[in-house]
Amino acid sequence: MDEVPNNRTSLAKGAKDIAKEAKRQAAKNFNKAVDRASDEYSAHRSYNRFDNEAEEEDNYNSYTQPDAHYADNAANDEDEASSDATEGHDDEDEIYEGEYQGVPAYNDGKPRDGQVALGQPVSDSLKSRKELENERQADEEELAQQYELIMQECGHGRFQWQLFFVLGLALMSDGVEVFVVGFVLPSAETDMCVPNSGAGWLGNIVYLGMMFGAFFWGGLSDKVGRRQCLLISLSVNGFFAFLSSFVQGYSMFLFCRMVSGFGIGGAVPIVFSYFAEVLAREKRGEHLSWLCMFWMIGGIYASAMAWAIIPHYGWSFSMGSAYQFHSWRVFVVVCALPCVSAVVALTFMPESPRFYLETGKHDEAWMVLKQIHDTNMRARGEPERVFTVNRIKVPRQLDELVEIQNESANPVLKVLLKIKAELKGIWLTFLRCFNCPVKDNTMKLAAVWFTLSFGYYGLSVWFPDVIKHLQADEYASRVKIHNNERIEDFTFNFTLENQIHRNGVFINDRFISMKFKAVTFIDSSFVNCYFEDVSSVGSFFRNSTFVDSFFYNTDIDDTKLKNSKMINSSFHHNKTGCQMTFDDDYSAYWVYFVNFLGTLAVLPGNIVSALLMDKIGRLSMLGGSMVLSGISCFFLWFGTSESMMIFMLCLYNGLSISAWNSLDVVTTELYPTDRRGTGFGFCNAICKLAAVLGNLIFGSLVGITKAIPILLASAVLVGGGLVGLRLPDTRANVLM
């Protein structure tokens, strides 16, 4: 009888010895398991690299599963029945559909009560900052490998496509904002009577807003999250874009468009960072390139809407003479619709799981990854497939201590301190973009972004203006000149266009419900003439004399009367503001149509770059596209007609789009997750700065010479392409 208790005591003692030995073996085998993670994933569909591998050697050393329980082996043998841990499982230990998994317990590496943390003989408080940063770097490398395996298990399916279209709307809003500037600029400046000294400020101030917005929102997305920052930035853009269509003063309009640009500036850096973090490596290059197509779609949408809306002067209303709502304002409202749609759709999407893991939010990340997996599996018709990940590596958090203000403090002071802390965090993260090993990459990327943007936006300004000059020269060549004419008792009730009248005499004539379009009267006399409901677009009276004449409801004012004399003449109910019309305006339709063709020419380049991005590599695509763009730009020297210039515009746009797509992909992949938004935002800010400089430099050269713009753009593009070839190849890299 005494042998039974002795045997049980021996068995228990032996079991404890085996358990201790298993723990020692687990610590030794941990590093070896890291190198075998990929093989084990393909063989067992599990993540044993991050669990205790000694479980295969010792049944006593169990680990946490979503619904695992500890059971007594002896009881199982006697009852010959399955335990709670195996209930609902098949022979391969798969979990049936409908079985509750729950959020797996996360072990942060800290010792629990009564436990000793393996591998942490030294307290964190005794370690230097450099040692902690090295440990975090090791954790991030480990997480990058595991995250790639997780995304492979989640697959590419319905979730990615849903997010693709939602983020596509946000990127489309950025493309619309860029094109709105060029389309609205002439109409807004004319409608608001902007003097020549203020002309051109609209384009530059919008780009400046986008420049600061890209840096701010990109950096903030690394602190508070991709989705939240994108929602706020798009909301700012949509609200102020909509408001700008109603304001009447040019200064207020400039302010609204600047703030609108500040909001949309965060779209590009956040969209690409967000989407890249839910893509597996083999899908990343291709699908980020497909996402770039939405920027082109935004350009096509803006061009088509401008072509369909702005030239229709009748699409307007007025409230007295003080408030005018012309067709270009309708166009501004229509262009805000993609942004509003993106905000609504984004509210149904989750935060980036990669961002959650980077900030230590293990459970939130696990839930999002499970949502991605389940959404894709249900779409494939495999709802029984279960998300097998039970624990994910979270990098060490170095900035866990946050100063907590007194609850009784001033709420305004709290908000200011919070803003100050966030701005300081953005700045510190930005400075880390210039630390090794990403310092050289940041400098090279900035150079490529600047050169590509300088050439692209500079030529985008130069192309339409050159076409306008060609049209103006052709229009001027068809001008009709009338000398020494004498007209008495005649009624003008039709449009006079593109004419010059010298030394004319008009006696007892009536000008009723008619238009002067590009008509100039020089040294002419008007005696006892009657003007009623007259519009004079681009028309002037130089050194002319008006005697006993009467003006009623006309727009003829001091700006149209150059050195002219008024003798016993009067004005009544003159039209206020700058009058604008697009009726039968061929040039307006033609400019919008040319921009539409130039944007549409991007489509073949987009398709080619998406299909070849992962085959020939990002750098070959980037450098080759920029060099070819520079060469095609050089042939503009030989363009002498509208058709030739339009063809070269389409060719240049088609060749340069591959460089833009490649640069977006490379920038996304070169920066680690904790600096991805900040680094991308900085590069995009450099892009907008180059756009401002390109507008100023190329705009000042329009009409003077075409040699300098052509040679400058060609040299800049070729030089940037050569720098791009020096960047590291990221095609085979996991997302750090």
Side-chain angles (χ1 to χ4, degrees):
M1 296 296 294
D2 295 335
E3 293 179 0
V4 175
N6 292 336
N7 291 336
R8 290 181 179 179
T9 302
S10 300
L11 288 173
K13 183 178 180 180
K16 291 180 181 179
D17 294 338
I18 294 173
K20 292 179 180 179
E21 183 64 23
K23 289 181 180 179
R24 287 193 294 269
Q25 292 297 326
K28 295 179 180 179
N29 295 338
F30 183 81
N31 292 330
K32 297 180 180 179
V34 172
D35 299 329
R36 299 199 303 269
S38 298
D39 296 337
E40 292 180 356
Y41 170 75
S42 58
H44 304 293
R45 293 183 52 79
S46 64
Y47 295 87
N48 294 334
R49 165 185 175 181
F50 308 97
D51 295 331
N52 195 334
E53 289 192 355
E55 62 188 0
E56 298 178 357
E57 302 176 9
D58 184 6
N59 292 332
Y60 290 92
N61 185 17
S62 59
Y63 57 88
T64 303
Q65 287 285 6
D67 59 350
H69 302 278
Y70 294 99
D72 182 70
N73 291 337
N76 287 340
D77 293 338
E78 294 174 1
D79 297 340
E80 296 181 357
S82 60
S83 68
D84 292 338
T86 60
E87 184 177 357
H89 292 62
D90 55 17
D91 294 338
E92 296 181 357
D93 200 29
E94 292 288 344
I95 305 175
Y96 290 133
E97 180 185 7
E99 182 181 0
Y100 174 73
Q101 297 183 65
V103 180
Y106 167 59
N107 180 11
D108 58 2
K110 296 180 180 180
R112 305 289 189 238
D113 294 339
Q115 295 181 349
V116 178
L118 296 177
Q120 285 191 339
V122 181
S123 174
D124 288 348
S125 60
L126 301 179
K127 295 182 180 179
S128 65
R129 178 78 179 186
K130 185 176 181 181
E131 291 176 331
L132 294 175
E133 289 178 351
N134 291 337
E135 291 182 7
R136 177 179 172 84
Q137 179 66 24
D139 291 344
E140 288 177 344
E141 294 175 358
E142 188 175 321
L143 171 60
Q145 297 293 335
Q146 184 189 12
Y147 192 79
E148 181 64 30
L149 299 178
I150 295 174
M151 294 313 304
Q152 290 176 7
E153 177 172 341
C154 291
H156 188 92
R158 176 179 294 176
F159 179 89
Q160 280 83 0
W161 285 113
Q162 289 174 347
L163 187 61
F164 173 80
F165 287 107
V166 172
L167 297 181
L169 287 173
L171 194 60
M172 179 180 173
S173 302
D174 182 85
V176 168
E177 187 75 17
V178 170
F179 282 88
V180 164
V181 174
F183 293 147
V184 167
L185 186 59
S187 303
E189 290 177 344
T190 302
D191 189 21
M192 297 179 180
C193 306
V194 179
N196 291 333
S197 60
W201 269 104
L202 176 59
N204 290 330
I205 204 166
V206 170
Y207 284 128
L208 287 174
M210 297 175 75
M211 179 182 72
F212 288 106
F215 182 80
F216 175 77
W217 296 114
L220 193 63
S221 69
D222 287 333
K223 297 297 180 184
V224 302
R226 320 297 193 206
R227 174 181 172 273
Q228 184 174 352
C229 279
L230 189 57
L231 270 174
I232 299 174
S233 65
L234 290 177
S235 299
V236 170
N237 170 250
F239 176 78
F240 282 94
F242 184 78
L243 182 63
S244 68
S245 66
F246 294 96
V247 298
Q248 291 292 296
Y250 189 61
S251 59
M252 189 63 184
F253 182 77
L254 283 176
F255 173 77
C256 289
R257 297 311 303 185
M258 180 187 68
V259 180
S260 174
F262 176 79
I264 200 61
V268 173
I270 298 178
V271 161
F272 284 99
S273 300
Y274 192 174
F275 194 50
E277 290 170 358
V278 297
L279 295 173
R281 178 175 54 194
E282 64 271 10
K283 299 286 186 180
R284 193 178 306 128
E286 178 184 352
H287 288 271
L288 286 177
S289 299
W290 289 123
L291 184 64
C292 294
M293 292 186 65
F294 280 93
W295 198 91
M296 174 206 68
I297 295 174
I300 294 176
Y301 175 81
S303 302
M305 292 299 102
W307 189 20
I309 296 175
I310 294 181
H312 294 281
Y313 184 69
W315 293 17
S316 61
F317 67 88
S318 61
M319 299 174 62
S321 60
Y323 189 85
Q324 304 288 331
F325 195 90
H326 291 140
S327 56
W328 67 268
R329 297 181 182 272
V330 179
F331 168 70
V332 172
V333 173
V334 171
C335 286
L337 296 180
C339 181
V340 176
S341 302
V343 171
V344 174
L346 194 60
T347 57
F348 298 97
M349 303 307 297
E351 179 58 84
S352 165
R354 190 68 171 85
F355 170 78
Y356 274 147
L357 291 173
E358 198 68 26
T359 54
K361 298 179 179 179
H362 175 274
D363 295 346
E364 291 88 341
W366 188 89
M367 292 296 292
V368 175
L369 289 170
K370 184 178 184 301
Q371 177 184 347
I372 297 173
H373 175 274
D374 293 347
T375 301
N376 292 339
M377 293 304 110
R378 284 194 299 267
R380 291 182 183 180
E382 302 177 6
E384 71 280 358
R385 293 282 294 275
V386 175
F387 190 46
T388 62
V389 179
N390 55 20
R391 192 188 310 157
I392 309 173
K393 183 67 177 181
V394 175
R396 178 182 297 275
Q397 304 301 305
L398 301 181
D399 302 319
E400 295 179 351
L401 296 178
V402 179
E403 183 179 357
I404 301 177
Q405 301 296 326
N406 189 351
E407 294 183 0
S408 62
N410 190 343
V412 177
L413 182 60
K414 282 186 176 182
V415 173
L416 294 177
L417 291 174
K418 178 67 175 177
I419 295 175
K420 180 181 178 181
E422 293 295 345
L423 292 177
K424 182 179 179 181
I426 293 173
W427 179 251
L428 293 177
T429 305
F430 168 68
L431 294 179
R432 291 178 60 208
C433 293
F434 292 89
N435 294 341
C436 294
V438 298
K439 177 181 178 180
D440 292 340
N441 295 337
T442 299
M443 301 302 294
K444 293 175 184 177
L445 283 172
V448 178
W449 275 95
F450 183 89
T451 53
L452 182 58
S453 178
F454 183 83
Y456 179 82
Y457 287 103
L459 291 177
S460 296
V461 172
W462 188 71
F463 269 127
D465 284 345
V466 167
I467 293 176
K468 289 180 183 178
H469 276 73
L470 292 174
Q471 290 177 341
D473 293 341
E474 182 184 357
Y475 189 74
S477 66
R478 294 186 281 108
V479 66
K480 296 179 181 179
I481 301 177
H482 302 272
N483 293 315
N484 303 316
E485 60 183 342
R486 182 184 180 88
I487 301 176
E488 298 184 27
D489 298 317
F490 186 80
T491 299
F492 293 87
N493 56 4
F494 48 87
T495 299
L496 296 180
E497 181 179 1
N498 197 18
Q499 298 178 6
I500 297 177
H501 297 263
R502 297 179 183 273
N503 301 315
V505 177
F506 301 86
I507 302 175
N508 296 326
D509 293 326
R510 293 168 298 280
F511 300 85
I512 300 176
S513 299
M514 56 91 61
K515 298 177 182 178
F516 293 118
K517 293 182 63 176
V519 178
T520 303
F521 295 91
I522 303 175
D523 298 324
S524 298
S525 299
F526 298 84
V527 180
N528 197 25
C529 291
Y530 181 77
F531 297 83
E532 181 181 351
D533 195 18
V534 175
S535 297
S536 55
V537 178
S539 300
F540 301 94
F541 299 85
R542 301 182 185 276
N543 301 321
S544 298
T545 302
F546 295 85
V547 180
D548 296 326
S549 296
F550 185 84
F551 296 84
Y552 181 82
N553 194 31
T554 70
D555 64 349
I556 300 174
D557 54 18
D558 293 338
T559 61
K560 306 291 179 67
L561 302 172
K562 306 292 186 181
N563 299 322
S564 297
K565 297 180 181 180
M566 307 297 295
I567 301 175
N568 197 25
S569 299
S570 60
F571 293 84
H572 298 273
H573 298 284
N574 246 30
K575 297 178 181 179
T576 59
C578 296
Q579 304 302 313
M580 52 188 300
T581 177
F582 289 98
D583 293 351
D584 302 323
D585 193 346
Y586 170 78
S587 63
Y589 281 99
W590 186 244
V591 168
Y592 300 137
F593 180 68
V594 168
N595 279 278
F596 177 79
L597 290 179
T599 309
L600 194 62
V602 172
L603 180 60
N606 250 316
I607 296 175
V608 171
S609 64
L611 296 177
L612 299 181
M613 185 67 68
D614 290 319
K615 292 182 173 60
I616 68 175
R618 289 90 158 110
L619 301 185
S620 300
M621 187 81 69
L622 173 62
S625 177
M626 291 187 68
V627 171
L628 291 177
S629 298
I631 295 174
S632 68
C633 177
F634 177 77
F635 284 98
L636 289 172
W637 198 309
F638 306 100
T640 56
S641 63
E642 286 186 48
S643 57
M644 183 65 177
M645 296 298 293
I646 293 171
F647 171 77
M648 296 306 301
L649 168 65
C650 295
L651 178 62
Y652 172 78
N653 286 347
L655 291 174
S656 63
I657 190 61
S658 297
W660 284 109
N661 294 357
S662 306
L663 190 55
D664 289 331
V665 176
V666 170
T667 306
T668 303
E669 294 178 333
L670 277 180
Y671 284 104
T673 303
D674 60 343
R675 281 165 280 180
R676 184 168 296 118
T678 304
F680 206 129
F682 167 71
C683 292
N684 202 250
I686 293 294
C687 168
K688 297 306 184 289
L689 176 62
V692 173
L693 295 177
N695 284 340
L696 294 175
I697 295 175
F698 284 75
S700 63
L701 297 174
V702 171
I704 300 177
T705 177
K706 66 179 182 180
I708 296 178
I710 290 174
L711 294 177
L712 181 61
S714 297
V716 165
L717 289 170
V718 172
L722 296 178
V723 173
L725 292 173
R726 304 287 295 177
L727 289 167
D729 188 8
T730 59
R731 182 169 31 170
N733 292 356
V734 295
L735 204 62
M736 288 294 297

